């Protein structure tokens, strides 16, 4: 079975540019999570969706960050304008079901470097 | 406040020896506990989980974990370490109190298995 698919795997861009990260969750999973991983702060939950609806975006660091899920098989995380401190690895994860017994499944991430 | 602690940043073990990676937690209500492994340039891979029942949980790649309610711990173990087990390990806990069973992650423990 295909896992969570993220693109691009690597992104290098200059400060001020718009960045769009993409995620395709596992088919049939109804929860989607966006995380950011840095050495300093570890893994941070940015936002999560249930049935394509954003439920909790309290982890989104600033208004420069936005996320959408237009359908069950696609989500985007956008940064506009980007800043060097946004450099990190961004992960998408999906999960089936509301209860806590099912694990989240992670993609391989997008390594973002803002120059 | 809910939290997860992985007290060791790094654990070194000789190949063939048993390994333990420690995790303690503090949550309201009954916890669901998970271990993940992260290899370089990859996403987090699910290893095992504790939901209810037997305190000793078996997972992928020969790993197991012991749930101890009185000590609020969920230590990861393996009887005989392999060099290929060298990676970053994360403990995660969720509960109904964390909101739709969001994960609370530990800071990670880097495991180095020496040949």
């Amino acid at each position: 079975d295909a896992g969570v698919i993220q693109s691009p795997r690597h992104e290098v861009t200059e400060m001020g540019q718009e960045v769009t990260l993409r995620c395709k969750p596992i088919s049939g999973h109804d929860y989607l999570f966006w995380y950011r991983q840095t050495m300093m702060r570890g893994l941070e939950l940015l936002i999560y969706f249930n049935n394509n609806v954003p439920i909790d975006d309290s982890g989104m660091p600033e208004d420069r960050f936005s996320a959408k899920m237009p359908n069950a098989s696609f989500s985007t995380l956008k940064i506009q304008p980007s800043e060097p401190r946004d450099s990190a690895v961004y992960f998408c994860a999906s999960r089936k079901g509301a209860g806590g017994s099912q694990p989240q499944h992670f993609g391989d991430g997008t390594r973002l470097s803002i120059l | 406040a809910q939290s997860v602690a992985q007290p060791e940043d790094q654990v070194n073990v000789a190949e063939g020896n048993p390994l333990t990676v420690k995790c303690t937690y503090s949550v309201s209500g009954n916890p669901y506990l998970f271990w993940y492994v992260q290899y370089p340039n990859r996403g987090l891979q699910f290893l095992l989980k504790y939901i209810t029942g037997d305190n000793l949980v078996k997972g992928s790649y020969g790993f197991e974990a012991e749930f101890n309610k009185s000590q609020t711990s969920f230590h990861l173990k393996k009887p005989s370490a392999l060099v290929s087990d060298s990676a970053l390990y994360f403990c995660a806990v969720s509960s109904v109190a964390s909101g739709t069973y969001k994960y609370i992650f530990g800071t990670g423990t880097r495991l180095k298995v020496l040949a």
Side-chain angles (χ1 to χ4, degrees), chain A residues 9 31 33 35 37 43 45 48 55-56 58 91 95 98-108 111, chain B residues 32 34 36 38 41-46 49 51 88 90 94 98-103 105-107 110:
Chain A
R9 289 296 316 278
Y31 281 82
F33 303 81
Y35 291 89
Q37 185 180 35
L43 277 161
L45 176 64
Y48 74 93
I55 303 300
D56 182 352
S58 60
F91 289 104
R95 184 188 80 198
S101 64
Q102 295 303 314
Q104 294 180 25
H105 297 265
F106 286 75
D108 281 335
R111 184 173 297 274
Chain B
Y32 293 157
F34 302 82
Y36 283 82
Q38 185 179 27
N41 300 315
R42 300 296 304 276
L44 279 68
Q45 295 180 35
F46 169 68
K49 66 181 179 182
I51 304 302
L88 187 57
F90 288 95
S94 70
S98 65
T100 325
Y101 294 97
K102 292 187 297 186
Y103 279 167
F105 278 101
T107 51
R110 189 163 298 283

Side-chain angles (χ1 to χ4, degrees), chain B residues 8-19:
Chain B
E8 301 153 319
D9 289 337
Q10 182 161 315
V11 169
N12 295 328
V13 64
E15 187 175 31
N17 282 4
L19 69 88

Side-chain angles (χ1 to χ4, degrees), chain A residues 3-102:
Chain A
V4 175
I5 299 172
Q6 292 187 244
S7 63
R9 289 296 316 278
H10 302 274
E11 175 90 15
V12 181
T13 192
E14 293 192 346
M15 182 175 65
Q17 297 296 306
E18 178 179 288
V19 173
T20 300
L21 311 181
R22 297 172 176 79
C23 175
K24 177 178 169 55
I26 293 172
S27 177
H29 284 197
D30 51 351
Y31 281 82
L32 184 138
F33 303 81
W34 281 102
Y35 291 89
R36 179 170 68 176
Q37 185 180 35
T38 61
M39 290 292 290
M40 292 297 294
R41 301 172 70 94
L43 277 161
E44 302 173 274
L45 176 64
L46 301 177
I47 186 172
Y48 74 93
F49 295 82
N50 174 219
N51 290 325
N52 315 336
V53 176
I55 303 300
D56 182 352
D57 65 354
S58 60
M60 297 285 261
E62 297 172 35
D63 291 345
R64 299 183 295 105
F65 286 70
S66 62
K68 293 183 180 179
M69 192 164 185
N71 57 62
S73 59
F74 184 66
S75 177
T76 59
L77 178 67
K78 189 171 290 188
I79 309 172
Q80 166 64 16
S82 57
E83 296 183 6
R85 60 191 165 127
D86 302 331
S87 298
V89 182
Y90 291 80
F91 289 104
C92 175
S94 67
R95 184 188 80 198
K96 183 177 178 62
S101 64
Q102 295 303 314

